[in-house]
Amino acid sequence: MGNFDERMRYLEEQVGHGTIRAGCYVNQPYAQDQHQSVWYKHPRGGRARYLGGPLLEEIDQTMTELARRAITREGSDIEDAMKDFADKMADDYVGQEAPILKNVLRQSGQPYVINNGVETYHRPARAPRERDGE
């Protein structure tokens, strides 16, 4: 494949420049309170830090997978890798770890990807946003 400089140029051509970010919004008015309040009891299941907790617990596997897909023999798969990770945050982290309050918080994740400042992926929440105070 060539020397180090040639391989680095190839990597740069395949992956590109700039930043790419995956994330997950949670659209319920009480979502942040449930996420941040570690002293709340969750008798129906779930936990505080339902996004950050699983992310930190799986950081090694996540970074390994993203690195593996950043460059492949066919080029870069980083855009799809980030989309898959955003979906994982919504479906696995929020969908399985969010507290069960009214049974809609777990269906409220909205995964997204922003590539060089442009939103390239956004899946709406499966549950509609509740009105404040409901």
Side-chain angles (χ1 to χ4, degrees):
M1 168 130 224
N3 65 30
F4 178 79
D5 290 334
E6 290 169 343
R7 290 176 19 216
M8 291 306 294
R9 276 193 295 280
Y10 176 74
L11 175 64
E12 183 179 26
E13 290 168 6
Q14 296 304 307
V15 176
H17 295 278
T19 59
I20 186 167
R21 181 168 48 106
C24 181
Y25 299 113
V26 183
N27 73 346
Q28 297 305 336
Y30 51 87
Q32 183 172 356
D33 190 42
Q34 289 291 317
H35 189 270
Q36 301 296 337
S37 301
V38 295
W39 55 88
Y40 284 178
K41 304 283 187 248
H42 304 288
R44 296 179 64 199
R47 66 180 190 171
R49 307 278 198 247
Y50 52 86
L51 270 169
L55 174 63
L56 291 174
E57 292 159 12
E58 297 181 2
I59 194 68
D60 290 340
Q61 304 93 299
T62 299
M63 294 308 293
T64 298
E65 176 66 9
L66 292 175
R68 184 183 69 74
R69 293 179 63 185
I71 189 164
T72 67
R73 291 190 191 280
E74 295 79 32
S76 179
D77 189 31
I78 195 64
E79 179 89 27
D80 284 339
M82 294 297 272
K83 176 187 165 292
D84 292 345
F85 179 60
D87 284 335
K88 180 180 183 70
M89 284 190 276
D91 298 337
D92 295 353
Y93 298 176
V94 176
Q96 296 175 20
E97 301 289 334
I100 301 172
L101 183 62
K102 301 176 189 173
N103 209 26
V104 296
L105 187 56
R106 287 187 173 192
Q107 300 172 29
S108 298
Q110 298 181 55
Y112 67 87
V113 174
I114 298 175
N115 193 346
N116 287 318
V118 176
E119 188 173 74
T120 58
Y121 175 67
H122 182 176
R123 187 185 80 198
R126 293 187 170 106
R129 179 178 166 85
E130 295 181 75
R131 289 180 290 170
D132 290 336
E134 277 191 1

